Amino acid sequence: EIPYPPEKVTLVGVKATRTLQLWAAGPGGAWKHLKDYPILGMSGKLGPKLREGDGQVPEGLYRVESLNPNSLFHLSLRLNYPNEQDNSFGQSENRTRLGSDIMIHGNDCSVGCLAMGDPAAEDLFVLAAETGIEQVSVILTPVDFRVDELPAEMPPVPSWMGEVYDGIRRELAALGNPSSGTTPLTQ
């Protein structure tokens, strides 16, 4: 059991399975897998977001930057895309229009964001608000590297994605194995 609200929350968006895993840690700091939500709407294919308008969901390590209770898509959690790493790789390739406004939100359709449906968006919004957005991290990954590798039919990605995927692998490993079941939050 983890007391509510938890000390920290990590959301793991796995593009290949269209799943958002909810992980939380209590006062002892041990991560527990709480729940999986289906991603109802998502655009693009496996691989990173490289430019505005490419329809891609980013891949990397992100934070929740803000909560929007007045979203056009019910409620939304705004991510800090592009982050420092995205900006650095963009600069190195003279890409300036990287895109923005990447959210985890309600509804069931999206371009570049994760549409979770309204009930899931409400759960995630309230959890993020009560935990504190500075304690919420988001991992957006093509596959769950703890149980899968990149598929053979993976679209080509820039060479620097190896560094991004290594960071994702480290963060996923720190959470633990998702197949160990789920743990309830308690009031």
Side-chain angles (χ1 to χ4, degrees), residues 43 88 118 120 133 147 156:
S43 63
S88 174
D118 294 352
I133 61 171
V147 295

Side-chain angles (χ1 to χ4, degrees), residues 44-58:
K45 55 189 185 290
L46 301 187
K49 179 169 191 60
L50 297 175
R51 64 189 53 81
E52 186 176 335
D54 64 7
Q56 284 291 101
V57 171

Side-chain angles (χ1 to χ4, degrees), residues 18-66:
R18 297 174 69 99
T19 305
L20 185 74
Q21 299 172 5
L22 170 59
W23 290 77
W31 287 101
K32 299 289 183 186
H33 182 199
L34 302 185
K35 183 174 185 166
D36 288 345
Y37 292 95
I39 298 170
L40 302 183
M42 181 179 79
S43 63
K45 55 189 185 290
L46 301 187
K49 179 169 191 60
L50 297 175
R51 64 189 53 81
E52 186 176 335
D54 64 7
Q56 284 291 101
V57 171
E59 293 177 356
L61 306 174
Y62 298 96
R63 310 283 317 158
V64 173
E65 194 172 75
S66 62

Side-chain angles (χ1 to χ4, degrees), residues 134-152:
E134 61 284 345
Q135 298 302 318
V136 180
S137 58
V138 180
I139 301 169
L140 297 178
T141 181
V143 297
D144 187 335
F145 288 112
R146 294 166 295 185
V147 295
D148 264 329
E149 282 303 318
L150 294 171

